[in-house]
Amino acid sequence: MAKTWKTRTRRALRWTAWTVAYCTGLLAILLGAAWVWWQPEPEARGTLVNGLWARHQWVGEEHTEAEYRALGDLLERNRITDVFFHAGPFEADGTVPPSKYRNARRLIEAMRRHAPGVRVQAYLGQIRKVDGRGITDV
């Protein structure tokens, strides 16, 4: 009879320990999930002026109105105030061929429609070596 009592006691203690461990784990998971769920969105304080460097394809290639609208939405969502569109690269003689910026006017007009508060600027750079002439070997 004593063995049965000890066995039952051990079994009850083991069952209680597992139940406590399970409930503690479950509570930890729930508290962790609640903490993650109610975290505020990350916020960058003090960033009143934000810039974006954009690839030369925006100036040199044609884009649809939907692409311009999506770019405007992206700029607004990320609070971008200045966009530097790469218009280039320079040739060895320091010129930029018109084919590299043939859509610049359309881009500027689209940015005025879809991102009116954003300053659109040209970024000129990346001098290439052509036939052994030029400053920067890219």
Side-chain angles (χ1 to χ4, degrees), residues 15-35:
W15 184 84
T16 303
W18 278 110
T19 303
V20 168
Y22 178 79
C23 291
T24 302
L26 188 60
L27 181 63
I29 290 170
L30 290 173
L31 288 174
W35 182 79

Side-chain angles (χ1 to χ4, degrees), residues 16-92:
T16 303
W18 278 110
T19 303
V20 168
Y22 178 79
C23 291
T24 302
L26 188 60
L27 181 63
I29 290 170
L30 290 173
L31 288 174
W35 182 79
V36 169
W37 180 265
W38 280 293
Q39 286 297 305
E41 283 291 318
E43 183 178 321
R45 292 180 178 86
T47 54
L48 300 176
V49 178
N50 293 305
L52 175 75
W53 297 87
R55 296 173 59 164
H56 65 270
Q57 284 85 348
W58 282 105
V59 177
E61 296 176 6
E62 290 187 33
H63 293 277
T64 65
E65 193 66 20
E67 289 173 313
Y68 288 130
R69 189 177 312 108
L71 177 60
D73 291 342
L74 174 80
L75 299 174
E76 183 180 343
R77 274 194 322 272
N78 291 289
R79 298 179 301 185
I80 302 296
T81 58
D82 295 85
V83 180
F84 299 89
F85 290 98
H86 184 234
F90 286 121
E91 293 297 320

Side-chain angles (χ1 to χ4, degrees), residues 76-129:
E76 183 180 343
R77 274 194 322 272
N78 291 289
R79 298 179 301 185
I80 302 296
T81 58
D82 295 85
V83 180
F84 299 89
F85 290 98
H86 184 234
F90 286 121
E91 293 297 320
D93 64 359
T95 62
V96 177
S99 63
K100 298 288 184 183
Y101 59 88
R102 67 178 172 263
N103 292 301
R105 181 178 305 277
R106 187 167 176 218
L107 170 69
I108 292 169
E109 291 168 355
M111 289 299 93
R112 287 181 180 154
R113 282 191 308 276
H114 300 294
V118 175
R119 292 180 292 237
V120 175
Q121 303 175 49
Y123 160 61
L124 298 170
Q126 193 178 355
I127 300 172
R128 301 183 300 146
K129 271 191 177 182

Side-chain angles (χ1 to χ4, degrees), residues 89-90 92 125-138:
F90 286 121
Q126 193 178 355
I127 300 172
R128 301 183 300 146
K129 271 191 177 182
V130 177
D131 297 327
R133 296 179 54 215
I135 298 174
T136 305
D137 185 10
V138 179

